[in-house]
Amino acid sequence: MARSVTAKKNVKPAKPPYVLDEQVGFILRQVWQRHSAIFSRDIGVNLTPTQWAALSKLAETGPCSQNQLGRLTAMDVATIKGVIDRLTARGLTETSQDPEDGRRLLVSLTRAGQQLAEKLAPNAIAITRETLAPLDAKERELLMALLNKLR
């Protein structure tokens, strides 16, 4: 009997069927947490990643409906509304009636919002660069291609 107990002690436990550290969602969350920390440290103003997404997309596209802006920035209706409400309270965005459809409101950057978006763009580029810094140029290109394929 002593022999079988000793044999069992030397047996390596079987690998569990689900290992959290090997799961794409868990790895993506860890990468997102790292990126968010870099963003918070380096963006230069009190701005969340979702607020920056809205500002930068409006700087890129110009005025659009809140609904369209939500789609362009991958935010649901409630989230984009909160983001725009906060940006408007800070004087960075404003709404106006769509001249082509009086029922629709357009969101646009104020002058201050446009200036902030232009000022922060180099910070945002540096944040992306630092997030991807552990990778060489080919790896960065491959990662971005693969992530775009997963969208």
Side-chain angles (χ1 to χ4, degrees):
M1 184 127 194
R3 182 173 243 221
S4 64
V5 170
T6 304
K8 285 183 181 178
K9 284 184 180 179
N10 293 332
V11 173
K12 193 173 183 178
K15 181 179 175 182
Y18 186 92
V19 178
L20 183 63
D21 289 340
E22 296 174 358
Q23 305 309 311
V24 66
F26 182 67
I27 294 167
L28 288 172
R29 186 165 58 84
Q30 289 178 312
V31 171
W32 171 249
Q33 288 171 334
R34 180 175 165 270
H35 173 74
S36 293
I38 295 166
F39 181 92
S40 294
R41 183 191 72 208
D42 293 350
I43 195 61
V45 295
N46 184 21
L47 206 63
T48 67
T50 52
Q51 290 169 344
W52 169 247
L55 280 179
S56 64
K57 187 52 82 171
L58 285 170
E60 179 185 333
T61 65
C64 65
S65 72
Q66 189 169 285
N67 202 354
Q68 175 68 11
L69 183 59
R71 286 191 300 274
L72 293 172
T73 56
M75 290 183 231
D76 62 41
V77 173
T79 301
I80 193 64
K81 181 183 180 341
V83 166
I84 295 305
D85 287 350
R86 286 185 285 285
L87 291 174
T88 299
R90 291 175 65 176
L92 300 172
T93 59
E94 60 189 1
T95 58
S96 59
Q97 278 198 300
D98 184 339
E100 295 176 16
D101 183 348
R103 299 167 296 173
R104 182 183 310 155
L105 288 178
L106 295 179
V107 179
S108 58
L109 293 177
T110 61
R111 183 173 167 86
Q114 183 65 43
Q115 289 172 340
L116 186 62
E118 290 170 8
K119 176 184 172 193
L120 296 182
N123 298 38
I125 291 166
I127 290 163
T128 295
R129 193 176 305 120
E130 184 172 342
T131 298
L132 298 174
L135 307 175
D136 66 32
K138 273 189 166 276
E139 290 170 328
R140 286 191 297 271
E141 188 178 318
L142 177 60
L143 175 66
M144 293 305 293
L146 292 171
L147 289 172
N148 277 308
K149 192 172 183 177
L150 289 174
R151 278 186 181 181

